[in-house]
Protein backbone atom coordinates (compact mmCIF):
# COMPACT_ATOMS: atom_id res chain seq x y z
CA UNK A 1 0.00 0.00 0.00
CA UNK A 2 2.61 2.58 1.02
CA UNK A 3 5.09 2.24 -1.79
CA UNK A 4 8.81 2.75 -1.50
CA UNK A 5 8.79 4.99 -4.56
CA UNK A 6 6.92 7.63 -2.56
CA UNK A 7 3.59 7.44 -4.32
CA UNK A 8 1.79 7.73 -0.98
CA UNK A 9 2.83 9.73 2.07
CA UNK A 10 4.15 8.33 5.33
CA UNK A 11 1.78 6.43 7.61
CA UNK A 12 1.17 9.35 9.99
CA UNK A 13 0.19 11.77 7.21
CA UNK A 14 -1.94 9.13 5.52
CA UNK A 15 -3.70 8.30 8.79
CA UNK A 16 -4.43 11.99 9.45
CA UNK A 17 -5.79 12.47 5.93
CA UNK A 18 -7.96 9.35 6.06
CA UNK A 19 -9.32 10.41 9.46
CA UNK A 20 -10.17 13.83 8.00
CA UNK A 21 -11.91 12.24 5.01
CA UNK A 22 -13.83 9.89 7.33
CA UNK A 23 -14.89 12.80 9.55
CA UNK A 24 -16.15 14.76 6.59
CA UNK A 25 -18.00 11.74 5.19
CA UNK A 26 -19.65 10.88 8.52
CA UNK A 27 -20.71 14.47 9.11
CA UNK A 28 -22.30 14.45 5.67
CA UNK A 29 -24.16 11.20 6.36
CA UNK A 30 -25.30 12.13 9.87
CA UNK A 31 -25.61 15.92 9.98
CA UNK A 32 -25.43 17.10 13.59
CA UNK A 33 -27.69 20.07 12.89
CA UNK A 34 -30.58 17.70 12.14
CA UNK A 35 -30.19 16.00 15.51
CA UNK A 36 -29.98 19.40 17.20
CA UNK A 37 -33.21 20.59 15.56
CA UNK A 38 -34.95 17.34 16.51
CA UNK A 39 -33.74 17.62 20.10
CA UNK A 40 -34.87 21.24 20.24
CA UNK A 41 -38.35 20.31 19.05
CA UNK A 42 -38.55 17.41 21.48
CA UNK A 43 -37.26 19.48 24.40
CA UNK A 44 -40.09 21.91 23.74
CA UNK A 45 -42.68 19.25 22.90
CA UNK A 46 -42.14 17.31 26.10
CA UNK A 47 -43.75 20.24 27.93
CA UNK A 48 -47.11 19.71 26.22
CA UNK A 49 -49.93 19.69 28.79
CA UNK A 50 -51.21 16.31 27.60
CA UNK A 51 -48.89 13.72 29.15
CA UNK A 52 -49.59 11.14 26.45
CA UNK A 53 -48.62 13.59 23.71
CA UNK A 54 -45.52 14.60 25.66
CA UNK A 55 -44.51 10.95 26.02
CA UNK A 56 -45.06 10.41 22.28
CA UNK A 57 -42.80 13.39 21.55
CA UNK A 58 -40.13 11.96 23.85
CA UNK A 59 -40.32 8.52 22.25
CA UNK A 60 -40.14 10.09 18.80
CA UNK A 61 -37.11 12.14 19.84
CA UNK A 62 -35.37 9.01 21.04
CA UNK A 63 -36.38 6.69 18.20
CA UNK A 64 -35.87 8.92 15.15
CA UNK A 65 -32.03 9.27 15.42
CA UNK A 66 -31.68 5.49 15.69
CA UNK A 67 -34.04 4.99 12.75
CA UNK A 68 -32.08 7.54 10.71
CA UNK A 69 -28.84 5.70 11.45
CA UNK A 70 -30.41 2.38 10.51
CA UNK A 71 -31.60 3.83 7.20
CA UNK A 72 -28.09 5.18 6.53
CA UNK A 73 -26.21 2.07 7.74
CA UNK A 74 -24.68 1.19 4.37
CA UNK A 75 -23.09 4.62 3.80
CA UNK A 76 -22.00 4.68 7.46
CA UNK A 77 -20.28 1.31 7.18
CA UNK A 78 -18.73 2.29 3.86
CA UNK A 79 -17.33 5.54 5.27
CA UNK A 80 -15.90 3.74 8.27
CA UNK A 81 -14.27 0.93 6.29
CA UNK A 82 -13.06 2.84 3.23
CA UNK A 83 -11.10 5.30 5.34
CA UNK A 84 -9.66 2.72 7.77
CA UNK A 85 -5.93 2.39 7.17
CA UNK A 86 -5.58 -0.70 9.37
CA UNK A 87 -8.21 -2.55 7.33
CA UNK A 88 -6.46 -1.55 4.12
CA UNK A 89 -3.13 -2.86 5.39
CA UNK A 90 -4.70 -6.10 6.63
CA UNK A 91 -6.39 -6.65 3.27
CA UNK A 92 -3.12 -6.03 1.47
CA UNK A 93 -1.19 -8.33 3.81
CA UNK A 94 -3.78 -11.08 3.35
CA UNK A 95 -3.18 -11.97 -0.28
CA UNK A 96 -5.75 -14.78 -0.12
CA UNK A 97 -8.63 -12.38 0.50
CA UNK A 98 -10.76 -11.41 -2.45
CA UNK A 99 -12.84 -8.29 -3.02
CA UNK A 100 -15.89 -10.40 -2.22
CA UNK A 101 -14.37 -11.26 1.18
CA UNK A 102 -13.81 -7.59 1.95
CA UNK A 103 -17.34 -6.70 0.84
CA UNK A 104 -18.73 -9.49 3.02
CA UNK A 105 -16.73 -8.17 5.98
CA UNK A 106 -18.16 -4.71 5.37
CA UNK A 107 -21.69 -6.12 5.27
CA UNK A 108 -21.04 -7.97 8.52
CA UNK A 109 -19.80 -4.75 10.12
CA UNK A 110 -22.92 -2.95 8.91
CA UNK A 111 -25.14 -5.65 10.41
CA UNK A 112 -23.30 -5.50 13.73
CA UNK A 113 -23.53 -1.70 13.88
CA UNK A 114 -27.19 -1.88 12.92
CA UNK A 115 -27.87 -4.43 15.65
CA UNK A 116 -26.23 -2.25 18.28
CA UNK A 117 -28.17 0.83 17.12
CA UNK A 118 -31.43 -1.11 17.19
CA UNK A 119 -30.86 -2.51 20.68
CA UNK A 120 -29.82 0.87 22.10
CA UNK A 121 -32.83 2.58 20.49
CA UNK A 122 -35.29 0.01 21.85
CA UNK A 123 -33.79 0.17 25.35
CA UNK A 124 -33.94 3.98 25.35
CA UNK A 125 -37.54 3.99 24.10
CA UNK A 126 -38.56 1.49 26.79
CA UNK A 127 -36.81 3.62 29.40
CA UNK A 128 -38.67 6.70 28.16
CA UNK A 129 -41.95 4.84 28.49
CA UNK A 130 -41.17 3.71 32.04
CA UNK A 131 -39.66 6.81 33.66
CA UNK A 132 -41.79 9.58 35.14
CA UNK A 133 -42.61 12.57 32.95
CA UNK A 134 -40.63 14.88 35.24
CA UNK A 135 -37.48 12.96 34.34
CA UNK A 136 -38.19 13.33 30.64
CA UNK A 137 -38.85 17.02 31.09
CA UNK A 138 -35.39 17.31 32.63
CA UNK A 139 -33.51 14.86 30.40
CA UNK A 140 -34.64 16.08 26.98
CA UNK A 141 -33.62 19.73 27.50
CA UNK A 142 -30.26 18.43 28.77
CA UNK A 143 -29.98 16.31 25.64
CA UNK A 144 -30.72 19.43 23.62
CA UNK A 145 -27.79 21.17 25.32
CA UNK A 146 -25.59 18.17 24.58
CA UNK A 147 -26.59 18.28 20.90
CA UNK A 148 -25.80 22.01 20.85
CA UNK A 149 -22.32 21.21 22.16
CA UNK A 150 -22.02 18.41 19.62
CA UNK A 151 -22.99 20.83 16.86
CA UNK A 152 -20.16 23.15 17.90
CA UNK A 153 -17.65 20.28 18.15
CA UNK A 154 -18.75 18.97 14.74
CA UNK A 155 -18.07 22.39 13.24
CA UNK A 156 -14.57 22.35 14.72
CA UNK A 157 -13.97 18.79 13.46
CA UNK A 158 -15.21 19.73 9.98
CA UNK A 159 -13.01 22.82 9.89
CA UNK A 160 -9.96 20.77 10.92
CA UNK A 161 -10.80 18.07 8.36
CA UNK A 162 -11.17 20.67 5.60
CA UNK A 163 -7.79 22.15 6.53
CA UNK A 164 -6.08 18.76 6.45
CA UNK A 165 -7.67 17.87 3.11
CA UNK A 166 -6.88 21.23 1.50
CA UNK A 167 -3.29 21.01 2.73
CA UNK A 168 -2.97 17.49 1.30
CA UNK A 169 -4.61 18.42 -2.02
CA UNK A 170 -1.60 20.56 -2.90
CA UNK A 171 0.89 17.72 -2.41
CA UNK A 172 2.33 15.75 -5.31
CA UNK A 173 1.20 12.41 -3.80
CA UNK A 174 -2.48 13.42 -3.58
CA UNK A 175 -3.49 11.92 -6.98
CA UNK A 176 -2.01 8.59 -5.86
CA UNK A 177 -4.02 8.86 -2.65
CA UNK A 178 -7.28 9.52 -4.52
CA UNK A 179 -6.59 6.50 -6.76
CA UNK A 180 -5.94 4.42 -3.62
CA UNK A 181 -9.26 5.52 -2.06
CA UNK A 182 -11.19 4.93 -5.29
CA UNK A 183 -9.68 1.44 -5.51
CA UNK A 184 -10.82 0.78 -1.92
CA UNK A 185 -14.33 2.02 -2.75
CA UNK A 186 -14.45 -0.23 -5.80
CA UNK A 187 -13.29 -3.27 -3.84
CA UNK A 188 -15.75 -2.64 -1.02
CA UNK A 189 -18.72 -1.81 -3.28
Amino acid sequence: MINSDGSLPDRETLTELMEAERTRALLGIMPPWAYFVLSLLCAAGVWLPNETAATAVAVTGIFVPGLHMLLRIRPLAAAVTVYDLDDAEEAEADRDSTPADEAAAQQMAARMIGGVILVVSVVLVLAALLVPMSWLRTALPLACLWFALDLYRARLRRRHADEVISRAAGQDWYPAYTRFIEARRTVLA
Side-chain angles (χ1 to χ4, degrees):
M1 183 191 62
I2 300 176
N3 300 330
S4 60
D5 64 352
S7 63
L8 288 176
D10 60 289
R11 181 178 174 80
E12 184 178 321
T13 304
L14 191 59
T15 301
E16 181 183 28
L17 179 58
M18 290 178 88
E19 181 66 33
E21 294 269 9
R22 181 181 325 142
T23 298
R24 196 164 69 171
L26 290 175
L27 289 175
I29 295 167
M30 299 182 324
W33 62 266
Y35 297 125
F36 172 70
V37 169
L38 176 67
S39 71
L40 192 63
L41 292 173
C42 290
V46 79
W47 288 94
L48 290 171
N50 183 346
E51 197 165 305
T52 305
T55 303
V57 167
V59 167
T60 301
I62 293 169
F63 189 69
V64 167
L67 179 64
H68 178 251
M69 285 186 241
L70 285 175
L71 293 174
R72 302 289 295 173
I73 195 70
R74 291 185 72 111
L76 282 171
V80 168
T81 54
V82 165
Y83 297 112
D84 189 2
L85 186 59
D86 293 332
D87 280 353
E89 287 179 343
E90 287 173 13
E92 188 172 295
D94 186 13
R95 298 291 180 204
D96 297 333
S97 70
T98 64
D101 293 337
E102 290 186 39
Q106 181 181 356
Q107 288 176 346
M108 179 62 77
R111 288 186 188 119
M112 290 182 351
I113 293 168
V116 168
I117 290 170
L118 185 64
V119 167
V120 168
S121 294
V122 168
V123 166
L124 288 175
V125 165
L126 289 175
L129 292 172
L130 297 175
V131 299
M133 182 54 65
S134 61
W135 289 15
L136 291 176
R137 288 183 173 153
T138 303
L140 288 178
L142 290 176
C144 183
L145 291 175
W146 184 82
F147 279 116
L149 176 63
D150 188 52
L151 188 63
Y152 174 73
R153 289 186 314 195
R155 180 168 168 79
L156 293 178
R157 286 193 316 260
R158 170 153 324 251
R159 185 179 298 157
H160 174 71
D162 288 344
E163 288 171 3
V164 168
I165 292 167
S166 66
R167 196 171 51 238
Q171 301 295 325
D172 56 348
W173 49 261
Y174 192 74
Y177 167 77
T178 56
R179 285 191 302 275
F180 168 71
I181 291 298
E182 288 305 317
R184 294 246 329 131
R185 279 193 186 115
T186 302
V187 165
L188 294 172

